[in-house]
């Protein structure tokens, strides 16, 4: 697997925080990102352990509904938390690279116990990084409950959730330097961030990533550049200009976005540095009254020696390569060109840009590049990338919401 | 990748007692911004004070109760700020104000002045806090003793006076608090603790990442081209040719050199060893890797500049087939982009993650790559101006060892004869144009 740097050590990311502080959201986002850049990463949580255990009542939220007087509840919770931790250890002992832990971590004692468990059970080099989410903005907490808790437990009310949280808050202990842990504290969704004893390439990357996260559910539009003469000739690659039809379609795209964006000029607008990308973006941009930022990172995958050939010509000239590509489409690298893995690496800064943006994002690019971007939001495995369908003259609208991503496609006629 | 709205100016102001690394951070950031293509400049309060009040100021000049001196210092600080504002108004993108700025009142004045001078400026405050007396002593030793303020004292007297100066500042030091409503980063004890408050935006987020990874460990960076390749022999550009016989010999001698350079297993395991994905570099690296028993990381980011349609041609052929391009490249080697290929500016953008990674590392870094790529890497650490990049001298069969220090970069060139293994070392190699830069006209000119 090609990664920028393979971790020598296994990495454990432990989440800390009261319920409705976005821990699950953060772990979900991080997990998605880490898998996308090529690490084998998984989340281990009380919820997960509960779902795997058929004997338990799935309607109870063991993370949240703690009644200190009900010893059975307390015990179950402990048990689930330990189960999750053991599953985590197992995962890392095998071929897992990074594990995220969302279990009992609210008190100093809990954390010490967890540290000891890892020390005792993990028979290899590992690093632990603690991620605490703190929130004292009641509006944000309310939003979190509405978006993520109520949908799962329909008989509960907001009041009941708030009561549960208050019970848990009484024993909650925030991370302190004296515990000698390497950590990041995110306070009120990144308004204030505290980092302590940051070490290592991967943790550094994770911190950079976390700094860009926010909770705005804004739209992301992925569009291919419009038709070129190469399309008509069935050629791949090259740097052709738009055909007449392509220009017309770009106009229609522009019209679509005028309606869709409703006059919002603050959008994040990117395109590649290839002629077809620039031209499509210019026509669309003119209609919207905004200019796209051109970046080489969004250029189409480099087809190497196959650049400019038709599909038939490639099949005739390079049958060996075609076979190789069929066998392993994700890692296949066009000779003197790139593989999908290279494209993912190249496109990573764009993902940061998209994550950071709190306004709608519009990206006009090319098939392979868009497959990689799409996969970040939608796929659980990057092996699915080569099979993603990104049709021309089609606007793919993605709206990331907690734990999920809404998608809609509109064909522009 | 430059994703920022150019019309939005950025002002960065440092905060902290003397000898806390403010100037170091300012210079590093300045270097990074200029490298990314932004027009950036540092305005050092201390330099203005030296220019106007002279350098004979001992610690009593910094006594907060010395009203006359206070006024003089305040005027100098105001001048620095005004120059920064003018710079931003005249096309500058990033202005860095390097000063102590340790009182709430001063910070408030500066913030107001900046906000009222521009319609939408992003300000960022960087406070450097350090309680480790060893680190402070070291800072003083490395940077203050050679300070023009102390040219008439010996190092012992200078240190005592400087420590007294710090005491003067400590009397009125007020750390940044949240109610000042500033966007700030606090870095404590060289990055052991970092606090980020209300920092949003593309460039500012990048700054946070950059600062989190800054350190002052003097680790060496070894740069070498691959051994001579077949295309080098034929004088062709591009391609993915393998090593010539001479090139293979170099790989062997290079492995020997590094074997001597890194004697123990601990050191070897810690090295960050990077190469490209092209045959000639991989081949050279493999020989070194085998001898040292370490694994190189092959990065496409380090591949040679893509020469597009000129791939595989000699310069003569290019001049014949594409005379216009040939001319264009001669005039503007930096910005010229090979059709379907890259320009040096593209390269600079492409290698940014590698630069970041090298900055971050506290262990020795070894890179075996290609001429154009190494020109860019070299230029960044050696503080060359971007227009100089395309013509820097990075010969074959030579290891360049750079050791970046606080305010400068040590360089040592090791030329290895591939046939005999004979080594000739050039210490303090100076590229011609660097020499002329050292003739500063005043302290204010940085």
């Amino acid at each position: 697997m090609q990664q920028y740097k393979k971790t020598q050590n296994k990495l454990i990311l432990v989440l800390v925080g009261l319920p409705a502080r976005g821990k699950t959201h953060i772990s979900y986002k991080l997990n998605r990102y880490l898998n996308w850049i090529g690490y084998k990463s998984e989340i281990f949580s009380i919820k997960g352990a509960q779902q795997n255990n058929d004997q338990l009542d799935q309607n109870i939220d063991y993370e949240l509904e703690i009644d200190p007087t009900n010893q059975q509840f307390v015990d179950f919770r402990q048990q689930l938390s330990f189960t999750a931790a053991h599953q985590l250890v197992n995962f890392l002992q095998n071929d897992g690279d990074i594990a995220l832990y969302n279990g009992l971590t609210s008190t100093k004692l809990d954390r010490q116990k967890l540290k000891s468990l890892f020390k005792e059970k993990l028979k290899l080099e590992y690093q632990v990084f603690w991620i605490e989410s703190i929130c004292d903005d009641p509006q944000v907490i309310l939003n979190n409950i509405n978006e993520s808790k109520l949908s799962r437990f329909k008989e509960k009310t907001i009041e009941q959730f708030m009561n549960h949280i208050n019970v848990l808050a009484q024993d909650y202990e925030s991370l302190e330097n004296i515990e000698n842990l390497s950590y990041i504290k995110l306070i009120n969704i990144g308004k204030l961030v505290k980092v302590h004893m940051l070490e290592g390439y991967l943790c550094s990357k994770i911190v950079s990533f976390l700094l860009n996260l926010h909770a705005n559910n804004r739209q992301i539009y992925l569009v291919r550049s419009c038709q070129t003469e190469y399309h008509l000739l069935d050629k791949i690659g090259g740097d052709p200009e738009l055909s007449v039809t392509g220009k017309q379609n770009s106009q229609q795209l522009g019209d679509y976005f005028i309606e869709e964006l409703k006059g919002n000029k603050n959008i994040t607008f990117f395109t590649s540095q290839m002629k077809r990308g620039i031209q499509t973006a210019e026509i669309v941009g003119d209609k919207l009254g905004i200019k796209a930022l051109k970046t080489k990172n969004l250029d189409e995958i480099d087809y190497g020696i196959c650049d400019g050939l038709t599909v038939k010509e490639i099949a005739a000239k390079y049958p060996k390569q075609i076979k190789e590509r069929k066998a392993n489409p994700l890692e296949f690298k066009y000779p003197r060109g790139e593989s999908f893995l290279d494209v993912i690496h190249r496109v990573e800064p764009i993902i940061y840009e998209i994550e950071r943006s709190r306004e709608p994002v519009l990206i006009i690019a090319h098939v392979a590049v868009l497959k990689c971007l799409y996969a970040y939001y939608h796929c659980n495995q990057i092996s699915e990338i080569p099979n993603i369908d990104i049709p021309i003259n089609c606007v793919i609208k993605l709206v990331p919401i907690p734990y999920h991503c809404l998608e809609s496609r509109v064909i522009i006629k | 990748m430059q994703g920022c709205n150019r019309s939005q100016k950025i002002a960065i102001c440092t905060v902290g007692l003397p000898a806390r690394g403010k100037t170091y951070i300012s210079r590093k950031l300045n270097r990074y911004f200029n490298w990314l293509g932004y027009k950036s400049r540092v305005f050092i309060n201390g330099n203005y004070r030296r220019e106007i009040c002279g350098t004979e100021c001992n610690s009593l000049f910094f006594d907060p109760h010395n009203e006359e001196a206070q006024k003089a210092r305040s005027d100098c600080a105001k001048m620095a700020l005004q120059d920064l504002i003018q710079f931003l108004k005249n096309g500058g993108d990033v202005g860095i104000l390097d000063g102590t700025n340790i009182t709430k009142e001063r910070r408030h004045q500066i913030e107001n002045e900046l906000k009222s001078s521009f319609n939408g400026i992003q300000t960022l405050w960087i406070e450097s806090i350090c309680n480790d007396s060893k680190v402070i002593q070291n800072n003083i030793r490395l940077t203050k003793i050679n300070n023009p303020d102390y040219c008439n004292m010996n190092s012992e007297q200078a240190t005592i006076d400087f420590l007294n100066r710090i005491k003067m500042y400590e009397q009125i030091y007020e750390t940044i608090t949240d109610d000042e409503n500033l966007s700030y980063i606090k870095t404590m004890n060289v990055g052991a603790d970092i606090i980020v408050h209300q920092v949003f935006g593309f460039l500012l987020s990048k700054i946070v990442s950059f600062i989190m990874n800054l350190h002052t460990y003097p680790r060496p960076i070894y740069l070498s081209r691959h051994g001579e390749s077949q295309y080098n022999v034929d004088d062709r550009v591009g391609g993915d040719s393998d090593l010539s016989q001479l090139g293979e010999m170099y790989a062997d001698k290079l492995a020997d050199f590094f074997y001597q350079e890194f004697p123990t297993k601990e050191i070897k395991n810690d090295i960050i060893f990077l190469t490209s994905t092209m045959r000639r570099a991989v081949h050279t690296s493999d020989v070194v890797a085998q001898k040292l028993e370490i694994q190189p990381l092959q990065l496409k980011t380090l591949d040679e500049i893509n020469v597009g349609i000129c791939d595989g041609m000699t310069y003569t052929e290019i001049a014949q087939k594409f005379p216009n391009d040939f001319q264009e490249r001669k005039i503007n080697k930096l910005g010229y982009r090979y059709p379907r290929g890259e320009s040096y500016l593209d390269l600079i953008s492409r290698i940014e993650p590698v630069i970041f990674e090298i900055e971050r590392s506290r262990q020795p870094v070894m890179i075996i790559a290609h001429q154009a790529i190494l020109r860019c890497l070299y230029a960044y650490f050696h503080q060359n101006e971007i227009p100089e990049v395309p013509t820097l001298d990075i010969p074959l069969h030579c290891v360049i060892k750079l050791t970046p220090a606080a305010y400068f970069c040590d360089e040592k060139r090791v030329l290895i004869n591939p046939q005999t293994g004979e080594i000739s070392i050039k210490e303090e190699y100076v590229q011609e144009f660097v020499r002329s830069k050292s003739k500063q006209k005043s302290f204010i000119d940085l």
Side-chain angles (χ1 to χ4, degrees):
Chain A
M1 251 323 201
Q2 188 188 19
Q3 299 154 1
Y4 186 83
K5 188 176 185 100
K6 186 140 186 97
T7 33
Q8 308 294 96
N9 302 342
K10 307 284 178 169
L11 179 62
I12 304 174
L13 303 171
V14 183
L15 289 125
V16 181
L18 288 170
R21 267 37 175 195
K23 292 195 302 297
T24 310
H25 179 64
I26 291 173
S27 57
Y28 173 82
K29 286 292 256 188
L30 257 181
N31 192 46
R32 193 158 258 295
Y33 171 62
L34 294 168
N35 275 309
W36 187 73
I37 56 175
Y39 293 95
K40 191 158 188 240
S41 164
E42 231 181 85
I43 304 176
F44 299 90
S45 61
I46 290 181
K47 210 180 302 183
Q50 179 183 0
Q51 280 166 357
N52 286 336
N53 188 336
D54 298 319
Q55 298 173 341
L56 292 172
D57 183 354
Q58 299 296 333
N59 284 319
I60 302 172
D61 186 343
Y62 280 99
E63 268 178 7
L64 185 59
E65 304 171 40
I66 191 65
D67 177 4
T69 59
N70 185 340
Q71 194 53 40
Q72 206 190 31
F73 252 61
V74 174
D75 287 344
F76 263 143
R77 196 157 166 257
Q78 279 270 12
Q79 233 177 31
L80 289 173
S81 183
F82 277 140
T83 310
H86 280 110
Q87 287 168 346
L88 181 154
V89 166
N90 216 19
F91 172 71
L92 290 182
Q93 287 283 152
N94 292 314
D95 58 353
D97 295 318
I98 305 175
L100 294 103
Y101 182 73
N102 203 346
L104 276 183
T105 52
S106 308
T107 62
K108 291 204 185 88
L109 187 59
D110 284 332
R111 300 191 276 268
Q112 283 307 317
K113 280 195 199 159
L114 193 64
K115 260 177 88 174
S116 307
L117 193 156
F118 290 147
K119 197 156 175 201
E120 194 196 310
K121 303 282 180 186
L122 269 173
K123 306 293 178 210
L124 26 65
E125 293 289 322
Y126 66 93
Q127 188 189 0
V128 186
F129 187 57
W130 302 72
I131 303 174
E132 180 174 6
S133 176
I134 298 174
C135 187
D136 53 23
D137 183 342
Q139 192 55 49
V140 175
I141 299 174
L142 211 58
N143 281 344
N144 282 352
I145 297 180
N146 272 324
E147 281 186 349
S148 47
K149 304 285 180 197
L150 284 185
S151 52
R152 277 212 307 145
F153 303 102
K154 301 221 166 37
E155 292 102 50
K156 303 275 182 178
T157 65
I158 295 185
E159 241 171 29
Q160 283 172 315
F161 276 119
M162 292 302 280
N163 284 338
H164 287 309
I165 295 178
N166 288 336
V167 166
L168 288 167
Q170 283 165 21
D171 292 326
Y172 182 74
E173 292 172 316
S174 182
L175 290 172
E176 283 177 29
N177 288 0
I178 202 165
E179 292 174 66
N180 204 27
L181 308 168
S182 173
Y183 70 72
I184 178 173
K185 284 194 197 190
L186 300 157
I187 301 160
N188 289 330
I189 318 182
K191 267 191 88 175
L192 188 64
V193 176
K194 296 189 182 182
V195 182
H196 179 68
M197 278 171 34
L198 180 66
E199 233 184 83
Y201 164 74
L202 203 45
C203 287
S204 226
K205 233 170 140 56
I206 288 169
V207 167
S208 296
F209 181 75
L210 290 174
L211 284 177
N212 286 314
L213 288 189
H214 59 78
N216 290 26
N217 298 336
R218 41 88 186 89
Q219 312 92 316
I220 301 161
Y221 300 95
L222 302 179
V223 194
R224 275 175 67 178
S225 54
C226 292
Q227 192 201 65
T228 67
E229 42 188 53
Y230 267 39
H231 282 122
L232 301 167
L233 299 169
D234 214 19
K235 288 188 173 190
I236 63 167
D239 193 15
E241 305 199 5
L242 291 182
S243 64
V244 173
T245 318
K247 291 196 181 136
Q248 285 169 348
N249 291 338
S250 303
Q251 298 271 355
Q252 290 164 323
L253 258 180
D255 290 329
Y256 170 78
F257 279 114
I258 291 180
E259 279 238 27
E260 183 70 14
L261 295 172
K262 302 186 179 51
N264 184 352
K265 293 207 187 227
N266 279 333
I267 67 169
T268 302
F269 187 12
F270 286 130
T271 188
S272 68
Q273 290 207 358
M274 310 199 105
K275 293 201 188 95
R276 53 199 188 278
I278 295 176
Q279 286 172 351
T280 310
E282 243 167 40
I283 296 175
V284 172
D286 276 343
K287 292 233 167 196
L288 295 172
I290 43 181
K291 279 194 140 176
L293 241 83
K294 308 184 198 68
T295 165
K296 227 168 173 343
N297 287 347
L298 285 174
D299 278 6
E300 180 58 313
I301 188 171
D302 189 349
Y303 290 104
I305 53 178
C306 299
D307 187 88
L309 302 178
T310 66
V311 177
K312 286 205 182 119
E313 283 169 346
I314 299 174
K317 267 183 107 172
Y318 305 108
K320 191 174 113 190
Q321 273 73 22
I322 299 287
K323 259 182 124 176
E324 268 178 50
R325 194 180 65 170
K326 261 200 146 160
N328 190 353
L330 182 69
E331 293 181 35
F332 169 74
K333 189 189 288 241
Y334 285 94
R336 308 292 320 284
E338 292 177 304
S339 66
F340 273 113
L341 297 179
D342 293 321
V343 178
I344 289 178
H345 185 60
R346 178 158 55 85
V347 138
E348 199 190 332
I350 308 282
I351 290 292
Y352 272 76
E353 267 311 286
I354 300 177
E355 286 291 7
R356 204 184 56 76
S357 174
R358 290 159 192 247
E359 297 288 335
V361 179
L362 170 55
I363 299 193
I364 294 182
H366 316 279
V367 185
V369 166
L370 290 177
K371 283 185 184 188
C372 296
L373 288 176
Y374 178 89
Y376 171 81
Y377 283 99
H378 241 283
C379 300
N380 293 325
Q381 310 264 25
I382 51 176
S383 52
E384 297 166 30
I385 288 182
N387 301 329
I388 299 172
D389 181 30
I390 310 275
I392 198 169
N393 295 332
C394 169
V395 176
I396 301 175
K397 174 161 128 179
L398 301 171
V399 185
I401 56 176
Y403 322 147
H404 197 44
C405 185
L406 300 174
E407 174 183 346
S408 60
R409 294 185 174 216
V410 177
I411 308 276
I412 308 292
K413 263 298 153 203
Chain B
M1 193 204 114
Q2 294 158 34
C4 99
N5 181 1
R6 278 306 180 86
S7 61
Q8 192 156 68
K9 308 292 177 178
I10 295 179
I12 300 174
C13 308
T14 60
V15 176
L17 294 171
R20 263 52 176 185
K22 298 184 299 298
T23 305
Y24 175 70
I25 293 174
S26 306
R27 284 188 189 226
K28 277 290 209 196
L29 274 177
N30 192 46
R31 174 81 198 132
Y32 187 56
F33 282 127
N34 278 311
W35 183 257
L36 294 182
Y38 296 97
K39 271 191 81 178
S40 167
R41 243 186 90 173
V42 186
F43 298 86
I44 306 181
N45 274 358
N47 282 0
Y48 280 78
R49 190 253 310 151
R50 269 171 219 119
E51 184 75 11
I52 293 162
C53 310
T55 59
E56 307 285 308
C57 311
N58 67 14
S59 58
L60 294 176
F61 184 77
F62 299 92
D63 186 336
H65 305 296
N66 181 344
E67 274 187 34
E68 210 184 285
Q70 278 296 88
K71 172 125 196 341
R73 290 169 59 208
S74 179
D75 287 343
C76 294
K78 285 204 178 102
M79 277 182 68
L81 180 59
Q82 282 312 314
D83 278 1
L84 184 152
I85 291 175
Q86 277 315 303
F87 169 72
L88 291 180
K89 288 204 163 150
N90 293 334
D93 297 311
V94 182
I96 305 175
L97 189 65
D98 175 7
T100 50
N101 299 322
I102 51 177
T103 60
K104 286 189 208 262
E105 195 195 330
R106 170 66 60 82
R107 293 192 284 268
H108 187 67
Q109 284 169 350
I110 296 175
E111 179 82 2
N112 278 351
E113 186 73 26
L114 286 169
K115 287 265 148 83
S116 60
S117 303
F118 295 94
N119 197 4
I121 183 174
Q122 281 186 304
T123 60
L124 178 66
W125 292 81
I126 304 179
E127 180 172 358
S128 176
I129 300 172
C130 185
N131 305 322
D132 187 339
S133 55
K134 264 202 335 219
V135 173
I136 299 171
Q137 291 278 30
N138 208 32
N139 281 356
I140 297 178
R141 190 176 55 82
L142 285 176
T143 63
K144 301 301 174 187
I145 308 309
N146 293 322
N147 187 311
D149 291 345
Y150 295 114
C151 50
N152 291 334
M153 297 187 202
N154 69 32
S155 70
E156 212 184 281
Q157 289 174 309
T159 311
I160 294 174
D161 187 84
F162 198 77
L163 288 171
N164 281 336
R165 193 197 292 196
I166 297 180
K167 286 210 179 75
M168 298 291 175
Y169 279 100
E170 274 171 342
Q171 289 173 34
I172 53 172
Y173 184 23
E174 296 171 306
T175 186
I176 302 180
T177 51
D178 289 354
D179 58 3
E180 289 177 60
N181 207 23
L182 303 169
S183 292
Y184 70 75
I185 305 172
K186 283 194 197 187
T187 155
M188 291 169 270
N189 292 327
V190 201
D193 274 282
I194 298 172
I195 301 183
V196 181
H197 179 256
Q198 271 177 206
V199 174
F200 303 116
F202 167 71
L203 212 47
L204 296 195
S205 304
K206 254 173 131 54
I207 295 171
V208 173
S209 299
F210 189 74
I211 291 186
M212 279 190 185
N213 292 309
L214 270 193
H215 63 81
T216 44
Y217 282 67
R219 47 89 183 85
I221 303 166
Y222 297 87
L223 304 175
S224 169
R225 284 171 69 181
H226 52 81
E228 183 193 64
S229 73
Q230 208 38 62
Y231 264 32
N232 287 138
V233 174
D234 302 336
D235 214 21
R236 292 184 181 279
V237 297
D240 191 15
S241 57
D242 215 328
L243 296 175
S244 66
Q245 209 178 29
L246 200 64
E248 291 200 20
M249 289 192 249
Y250 174 68
D252 275 321
K253 308 293 186 299
L254 184 65
D256 287 333
F257 168 75
F258 279 127
Y259 190 70
Q260 299 294 330
E261 199 70 6
F262 304 117
T264 72
K265 195 152 174 69
E266 286 82 38
I267 300 180
K268 275 193 273 186
N269 284 340
D270 269 345
I271 298 173
I272 296 183
F273 186 8
L274 307 174
T275 188
S276 76
T277 62
M278 307 191 111
R279 260 182 233 148
R280 49 200 190 273
V282 172
H283 203 140
T284 314
S285 304
D286 279 345
V287 177
V288 175
Q290 225 182 26
K291 185 109 200 213
L292 293 182
E293 292 175 318
I294 54 177
Q295 265 294 89
L297 202 62
Q298 292 173 13
L299 300 177
K300 207 168 178 8
T301 334
L302 289 177
D303 278 3
E304 182 58 314
I305 189 170
N306 185 342
V307 296
I309 54 177
C310 298
D311 190 89
M313 300 192 194
T314 65
Y315 281 113
T316 333
E317 284 169 358
I318 298 175
Q320 282 171 351
K321 270 191 104 173
F322 307 109
N324 288 336
D325 286 83
F326 195 74
Q327 269 307 104
E328 251 188 77
R329 188 162 200 256
K330 268 194 146 173
I331 301 172
N332 179 12
K333 198 169 174 193
L334 183 68
Y336 170 77
R337 186 186 281 170
Y338 284 99
R340 306 300 323 288
E342 293 175 301
S343 64
Y344 267 100
L345 289 177
D346 292 326
L347 266 195
I348 288 173
S349 180
R350 206 216 300 157
I351 60 164
E352 199 222 316
V354 180
I355 289 194
F356 206 86
E357 180 58 12
I358 301 175
E359 278 285 24
R360 215 188 55 79
S361 73
R362 294 167 189 233
Q363 303 133 340
V365 180
M366 221 160 78
I367 301 185
I368 296 181
H370 310 264
Q371 187 178 125
I373 287 279
L374 291 181
R375 279 176 168 156
C376 298
L377 286 174
Y378 175 91
Y380 175 80
F381 289 101
H382 206 262
Q383 321 243 353
N384 296 91
E385 303 290 335
I386 291 193
E388 297 166 6
V389 172
T391 49
L392 290 171
D393 178 29
I394 310 280
L396 279 171
H397 306 160
C398 167
V399 181
I400 301 175
K401 177 176 171 184
L402 298 173
T403 315
Y407 297 158
F408 58 91
C409 183
D410 244 339
E411 174 179 351
K412 185 166 107 169
R413 293 205 167 204
V414 181
L415 296 123
I416 305 179
N417 185 320
Q419 278 156 327
T420 65
E422 196 189 313
I423 291 186
S424 83
I425 299 182
K426 272 195 199 167
E427 306 253 16
E428 293 160 24
Y429 179 88
V430 180
Q431 310 254 6
E432 279 310 310
F433 22 74
V434 176
R435 253 193 274 265
S436 54
K437 259 198 332 185
S438 59
K439 302 198 185 85
Q440 266 178 273
K441 280 169 253 147
S442 84
F443 289 116
I444 300 181
D445 259 335
L446 238 208

